[in-house]
Amino acid sequence: MLPQKQGEETMMSSLNETPEHEERDEEKAHSSFKSLLWHGGSVYDAWFSCASNQVAQVLLTLPYSFAQLGVVSGIVFQIFYGIVGSWTAYLISVLYMEYRSRKEKENVSFKNHVIQWFEVLEGLLGPYWKGLGLAFNCTFLLFGSVIQLIACASNIYYINDHLDKRTWTYIFGVCCATTVFIPSFHNYRIWSFLGLGMTTYTAWYLTIAAIVHGQVENVVHTGPKKLVLYFTGATNILYTFGGHAVTVEIMHAMWKPQKFKYIYLYATLFVFTLTLPSAIAVYWAFGDQLLDHSNAFSLLPRSGWRDTGVILMLIHQFITFGFACTPLYFVWEKVIGMHDTKSICLRALARLPVVIPIWFFAIIFPFFGPINSAVGALLVTFTVYIIPATAHMLTYRSASARQNAAEKLPFFIPNWTAMYVINAFVVVWVMVVGFGFGGWASITNFIKQVDTFGLFAKCYQCPSHKSPASNQTLHH
C-alpha cells in the first residue's frame, strides 16, 4: 500500500507542478517577441480562447432568438444555459485530468501528441465511447466550421452586395483554408486576444446603435408566438453556450492544465456582458421585425461604425473557423499518420482535405440562423452536455474510482450524491428540452427554409430589390 500511495503522490505532484520540459517551453515562450505573440499556454491564454471562441457569429443571431422567445425567456435561457455549459466544461476538465493522471501512472508520454476528447472517453470508458465521442464531436465541429463560413458570406454582403452570398462563400472558403498553417492552440495567443476585442466592439456597437436608432414605428413585441419558434430560439441559446467542444485541446495547450477548472465559467460571465445588452437593445428597437431578419446587421442603417463591426466579425469568424477546424485537423492527421510530422508545410498540405466538405455543406445549407438551432439540437446537446455528464457518472460509479479521483469535488458540492443529482438533471433536461422539443422545432424550421429558398440557395434572405441601402428582406 505504501509504494502505491507514494506513486500516487508522485503522480499528483507531477500534475500540480510544471514538468521540466514545460518549464523550459514556458521560459522560451517569454524569451522573444515572436513567442510572446505566437506561443501561449497560460491561464490567461485559455481564458481568452474560451471567451473568444464562445461567442462569434451567434452574437448576431441572439436578437433573432429574443424575438422568438420574448425578452424574459431570452434572459432566463441565456443565464441558465451559461451556467449549465460552464458545469459541463468543468466536467470535461475533470475527466481530462483523470485520464491524464491514469496515463502518467503508466508512464505514457504525450510529447508531440495532442490529447483529444474521444481519447479521454476511450481511456476512461472503452472503445464504444471513443466511437460515440468521435462521431458527435467531429460532426459538431464540422458544422460549427460550416456556420462560420456561412456567417462570413452573410456579413460581407452588407458591405458589398455586388456579389451574391454563394460567391462570397467560395471566396471565404479559400481564405479560411489558410488556417491549416496554424499548428495548434498554442499558436492562437494573439488571435484569441484580438478576437475577443472584435466581438466586444461588435456587441457594444449593436447595443448603442439600437438605442440611438430608437424603436421603429409601430414596433411590436409579441414574444413567443408559436411553440416551434420558442424552442428554436431556446436551442440557438443552447448552441451559444455549448461551444466547449474544444475544451480538451485548449487544456492540453496549457502549461498547467489543472488550473483550467473554472476558466470557462469566468469566460461565460464576461460573455454575458456582450450577449445580454446587445440582444435586449436590438429586440427593443426592432421587435418582431427580427423574426424575418436572422442577422442583426441587416436592420441597422449602414454607417462606418456598422461596416467596422462587419469587418471585425469577418476576421473573428476566420479565427473561430480555425478554432473549430483545428481538432478536426488533429483527427485527420492521426488517421493518415501525419500527427507527429514536424514540418508545418507538410501538415498544412495533409490538412487541406478537411476543408473541402466544410465548403460544400456551407454552399448546400446557407441558412444563417436556422442552421445554428439545428446543429444545437442534434449535435451540441450530446457533444457538450449529455455525453460529458453521463461519462462523468460512469467514470466514478465505483467507490474506488471516487476515492482515488484525480480531482476532488468542488467546494460547493457537499457529496457525490449531489454531483450525481446535478449530472442526471443536466442529462434529462437537455435530452427532453434540448434534443426533444428543440430538435422538433429546429428541424421543422430548417425544412421550412429548404422549402422556401431551396438547397444551394444563391442568396439567402437577400433584398428583393438589389440596393446597398435596402433593409427590406424576403420573408421566411
Side-chain angles (χ1 to χ4, degrees):
M1 289 297 290
L2 185 59
Q4 180 182 358
K5 183 177 180 181
Q6 289 174 341
E8 290 175 359
E9 288 174 352
T10 302
M11 180 275 297
M12 289 307 297
S13 176
S14 71
L15 285 173
N16 291 318
E17 296 177 5
T18 306
E20 184 180 345
H21 75 274
E22 291 186 355
E23 284 180 354
R24 290 197 298 268
D25 287 345
E26 189 169 356
E27 291 171 3
K28 184 179 178 181
H30 291 84
S31 64
S32 68
F33 181 72
K34 179 182 176 181
S35 295
L36 183 65
L37 298 179
W38 184 247
H39 189 84
S42 69
V43 170
Y44 302 103
D45 289 310
W47 183 86
F48 276 110
S49 293
C50 290
S52 177
N53 184 53
Q54 189 176 121
V55 58
Q57 52 73 36
V58 75
L59 181 71
L60 306 174
T61 66
L62 287 174
Y64 168 64
S65 296
F66 269 51
Q68 296 171 317
L69 287 164
V71 69
V72 174
S73 291
I75 293 171
V76 170
F77 272 117
Q78 276 207 40
I79 295 172
F80 174 73
Y81 280 125
I83 293 171
V84 174
S86 299
W87 174 254
T88 53
Y90 167 79
L91 297 180
I92 292 172
S93 72
V94 168
L95 293 174
Y96 168 86
M97 294 306 299
E98 184 67 40
Y99 169 77
R100 186 162 179 173
S101 67
R102 292 184 185 183
K103 288 300 180 182
E104 290 202 4
K105 285 181 183 179
E106 301 168 6
N107 296 319
V108 175
S109 173
F110 295 108
K111 186 177 181 180
N112 297 326
H113 182 91
V114 177
I115 298 174
Q116 295 189 267
W117 176 230
F118 68 90
E119 294 170 322
V120 172
L121 291 174
E122 180 185 30
L124 298 177
L125 297 172
Y128 292 109
W129 278 86
K130 172 188 176 180
L132 189 67
L134 191 61
F136 275 104
N137 212 47
C138 288
T139 308
F140 167 44
L141 290 171
L142 185 144
F143 278 98
S145 303
V146 168
I147 289 169
Q148 300 309 319
L149 200 49
I150 293 170
C152 286
S154 177
N155 288 341
I156 192 63
Y157 188 81
Y158 296 115
I159 290 182
N160 185 336
D161 62 357
H162 296 298
L163 298 176
D164 59 75
K165 292 181 181 179
R166 186 166 64 191
T167 302
W168 280 119
T169 303
Y170 293 139
I171 294 169
F172 278 100
V174 175
C175 295
C176 290
T178 59
T179 57
V180 297
F181 289 100
I182 302 177
S184 73
F185 283 97
H186 276 298
N187 312 114
Y188 275 95
R189 164 173 276 185
I190 187 63
W191 293 112
S192 296
F193 177 78
L194 293 175
L196 190 58
M198 293 167 187
T199 50
T200 301
Y201 170 91
T202 304
W204 284 105
Y205 157 72
L206 293 174
T207 304
I208 295 169
I211 294 171
V212 171
H213 181 280
Q215 291 185 312
V216 295
E217 187 177 357
N218 300 320
V219 65
V220 178
H221 300 89
T222 56
K225 298 173 67 174
K226 299 178 181 178
L227 278 178
V228 66
L229 294 179
Y230 187 85
F231 285 108
T232 300
T235 309
N236 186 42
I237 294 176
L238 177 146
Y239 168 83
T240 302
F241 295 99
H244 42 288
V246 295
T247 297
V248 169
E249 288 83 359
I250 292 174
M251 284 188 70
H252 193 77
M254 293 178 68
W255 295 314
K256 296 181 179 180
Q258 70 275 8
K259 292 187 176 182
F260 181 87
K261 288 182 288 187
Y262 301 114
I263 286 177
Y264 195 87
L265 174 62
Y266 299 146
T268 299
L269 294 176
F270 176 80
V271 166
F272 282 151
T273 69
L274 307 181
T275 57
L276 286 170
S278 59
I280 292 169
V282 175
Y283 179 55
W284 169 82
F286 298 101
D288 284 3
Q289 286 188 25
L290 285 160
L291 292 172
D292 300 313
H293 298 76
S294 57
N295 190 325
F297 279 139
S298 65
L299 286 170
L300 292 165
R302 182 163 186 180
S303 66
W305 297 104
R306 192 190 77 162
D307 288 355
T308 301
V310 171
I311 293 168
L312 292 179
M313 286 304 292
L314 287 173
I315 299 171
H316 185 262
Q317 281 148 10
F318 164 83
I319 297 168
T320 310
F321 181 95
F323 264 100
C325 248
T326 299
L328 295 177
Y329 295 152
F330 292 155
V331 172
W332 179 246
E333 288 171 356
K334 291 171 184 177
V335 169
I336 64 174
M338 295 284 288
H339 190 57
D340 295 332
T341 303
K342 294 182 179 180
S343 170
I344 293 177
C345 292
L346 283 177
R347 290 179 70 185
L349 188 63
R351 290 172 169 188
L352 278 175
V354 175
V355 181
I356 295 173
I358 295 170
W359 205 0
F360 184 66
F361 282 119
I363 294 166
I364 297 178
F365 306 118
F367 310 128
F368 184 73
I371 194 173
N372 293 17
S373 297
V375 170
L378 302 181
L379 298 173
V380 175
T381 48
F382 285 93
T383 305
V384 296
Y385 292 101
I386 294 173
I387 290 178
T390 306
H392 191 275
M393 289 190 287
L394 292 176
T395 299
Y396 297 107
R397 62 187 180 275
S398 68
S400 61
R402 293 192 294 271
Q403 184 177 359
N404 299 315
E407 294 287 330
K408 302 304 179 185
L409 291 176
F411 68 92
F412 52 88
I413 301 295
N415 50 51
W416 280 97
T417 301
M419 175 70 82
Y420 271 77
V421 168
I422 295 172
N423 287 342
F425 170 78
V426 170
V427 171
V428 173
W429 175 275
V430 175
M431 180 66 77
V432 174
V433 178
F435 178 70
F437 289 108
W440 160 73
S442 300
I443 294 303
T444 301
N445 190 36
F446 193 83
I447 292 172
K448 185 178 180 182
Q449 308 310 307
V450 175
D451 291 341
T452 304
F453 296 96
L455 299 176
F456 298 97
K458 190 173 184 180
C459 207
Y460 177 68
Q461 284 190 336
C462 291
S464 53
H465 298 289
K466 188 176 178 180
S467 169
S470 175
N471 284 322
Q472 298 298 319
T473 63
L474 288 172
H475 292 287
H476 282 195

